[in-house]
Amino acid sequence: MTGAVGQIGTELVQALRKKYGTDRVIATGHKTKPTKAFIDSGPFKYLNVLDRDQLDNMIANNDVGTIYHMASILSAVGELNPQRCYEVNMGGLLNVLEVARIRKLERLITASSIAVFGTGAPRDNTPNDTILLPSTMYGVTKVAGELLGTYYFQKFGVDYRSVRLPGIISSATLPGGGTTDYSVEMYYAAVEGRRCTCFVREDTVLPMMYMPDAIRSLIELAEADGSRLRHRVFNVSSMSFSAEELEESIREIIPTFACDYKPDYRQAIADSWPRSLDDSLAREEWNWKSTFDLPQMTKDMIERLRQKLAK
Ligand SMILES: NC(=O)c1ccc[n+]([C@@H]2O[C@H](COP(=O)([O-])OP(=O)(O)OC[C@H]3O[C@@H](n4cnc5c(N)ncnc54)[C@H](O)[C@@H]3O)[C@@H](O)[C@H]2O)c1
């Protein structure tokens, strides 16, 4: 796995190791420093995805069959440094696709994003196959990445598969600079007894997903019967709520919690994204179904963060 020390990678590594065995999953990271517990939990190596030789040697020397490619620069950070975002997201993907092609790997799984949508796409119940005109560099790289992966499948037979994840909420690892990070920040503030300052307006509605569902979507797509797949890239949906609805759901458990809304440059990004997704193709082609709703997620997040902060 590339980008394994990130928000999704840390939990995906654990889930894959539980399923397939600790030594069969090699976690790789770049600049984000892993904890000692993470390093001790199984094979870990440093890998810059822009270094194709290093990547190729690692694949060849470890008999790798599948790459989970999670290394990326996310939307908000990407808008602050669009050139770096392009370099890492496109260069890294091209490298893993090339290695997958040359080494004839079994499969390549990536995480695309709701950031592929933009002007012209319906914002409610956004279909899988619709106009893709993103207004962020992150979105540009995700659209181009989907096209590149699909091209490698059609031209070279690389079994590239990708889910378009919504905003991911989790308690184990902090998010890495995306536009939906305010949701995780709200939970931390609530559990720490702080007032929260949210960087989008209270009426901002975005699609979100709790980490266990996100992990399951990546693994279930990886394991899906290829003969049933008519697409390479899938919307996956779970829940949609406004920032204010999230605040209210937290207040159901922590009644004193309060939030101020001070939108910054990330509001424009949020306003260009869907409010909800149509994931019927994922349901049809590989039986996707999410499990958590907002109250269940809030209860679980608060319990886990309380345990974490108590330590
Ligand atoms: N977290 C979300 O809400 C969300 C939503 C939709 C899609 N995604 C996608 O899921 C994937 C994983 O996202 P995440 O939230 O875990 O991101 P993250 O920012 O938490 O982790 C990404 C990791 O990539 C690493 N990285 C950056 N440059 C690298 C390089 N040159 N070589 C190797 N590693 C490098 C970073 O050090 C970081 O640890 C990404 O493709 C992201 O676009 C995430």
Side-chain angles (χ1 to χ4, degrees):
M1 186 182 309
T2 69
V5 192
Q7 187 197 7
I8 296 177
T10 45
E11 296 198 46
L12 183 56
V13 163
Q14 305 311 331
L16 289 171
R17 285 184 176 156
K18 203 168 159 198
K19 197 169 172 61
Y20 301 116
T22 301
D23 293 337
R24 296 188 64 202
V25 181
I26 303 170
T28 72
H30 180 40
K31 287 192 177 160
T32 314
K33 204 173 166 352
T35 59
K36 187 175 177 306
F38 186 84
I39 292 180
D40 291 346
S41 70
F44 174 80
K45 294 174 196 294
Y46 282 96
L47 170 70
N48 178 357
V49 289
L50 299 181
D51 185 339
R52 193 181 300 172
D53 290 340
Q54 195 193 5
L55 174 68
D56 187 54
N57 286 335
M58 203 172 281
I59 300 294
N61 296 337
N62 293 283
D63 196 21
V64 170
T66 297
I67 302 180
Y68 282 81
H69 178 51
M70 296 295 126
S72 181
I73 303 291
L74 301 199
S75 57
V77 173
E79 275 322 273
L80 299 177
N81 192 345
Q83 294 78 9
R84 181 75 185 150
C85 180
Y86 184 91
E87 212 170 53
V88 171
N89 294 5
M90 296 312 302
L93 179 64
L94 182 64
N95 283 344
V96 292
L97 282 166
E98 270 295 274
V99 171
R101 176 183 74 82
I102 292 164
R103 299 272 172 202
K104 298 190 169 39
L105 298 194
E106 204 174 309
R107 201 145 296 151
L108 170 60
I109 307 300
T110 74
S112 188
S113 161
I114 56 167
V116 295
F117 302 108
T119 318
R123 290 194 64 209
D124 295 304
N125 217 17
T126 309
N128 209 89
D129 299 335
T130 185
I131 190 163
L132 301 177
L133 285 175
S135 53
T136 59
M137 177 56 92
Y138 177 67
V140 167
T141 65
K142 289 295 182 185
V143 174
E146 291 183 357
L147 293 173
L148 194 62
T150 304
Y151 175 84
Y152 265 69
F153 170 71
Q154 287 164 349
K155 178 95 176 169
F156 304 119
V158 173
D159 193 352
Y160 159 87
R161 305 176 182 190
S162 190
V163 280
R164 286 183 186 141
L165 294 176
I168 304 302
I169 294 177
S170 68
S171 55
T173 306
L174 284 170
T179 302
T180 52
D181 292 9
Y182 65 86
S183 48
V184 178
E185 285 169 17
M186 251 195 224
Y187 285 112
Y188 271 87
V191 170
E192 288 168 355
R194 290 185 283 112
R195 204 177 168 89
C196 177
T197 305
C198 177
F199 60 73
V200 296
R201 275 191 326 269
E202 55 267 50
D203 62 351
T204 306
V205 175
L206 285 170
M208 302 276 185
M209 185 179 278
Y210 196 33
M211 186 62 92
D213 278 334
I215 299 295
R216 211 166 39 74
S217 74
L218 287 157
I219 298 178
E220 285 180 7
L221 178 59
E223 292 189 337
D225 174 358
S227 68
R228 282 182 61 197
L229 300 183
R230 287 177 289 110
H231 294 75
R232 307 319 299 174
V233 181
F234 295 90
N235 285 0
V236 282
S237 174
S238 177
M239 56 184 112
S240 288
F241 47 79
S242 68
E244 195 170 34
E245 284 166 338
L246 176 60
E247 181 190 345
E248 280 159 13
S249 104
I250 294 173
R251 226 176 355 251
E252 292 284 319
I253 301 176
I254 304 178
T256 51
F257 178 59
C259 205
D260 302 312
Y261 293 89
K262 293 201 174 133
D264 64 16
Y265 72 98
R266 290 168 281 195
Q267 183 68 53
I269 304 178
D271 288 343
S272 73
W273 287 358
R275 283 183 286 257
S276 60
L277 297 174
D278 172 359
D279 63 0
S280 49
L281 290 182
R283 288 166 183 267
E284 268 168 49
E285 294 182 33
W286 47 281
N287 306 332
W288 163 248
K289 197 171 183 325
S290 70
T291 53
F292 280 86
D293 63 14
L294 178 56
Q296 287 167 329
M297 174 174 73
T298 295
K299 185 169 173 290
D300 199 61
M301 270 296 279
I302 290 176
E303 272 171 23
R304 283 173 190 276
L305 283 182
R306 279 179 170 155
Q307 283 166 14
K308 188 175 170 180
L309 296 173
K311 282 187 192 160

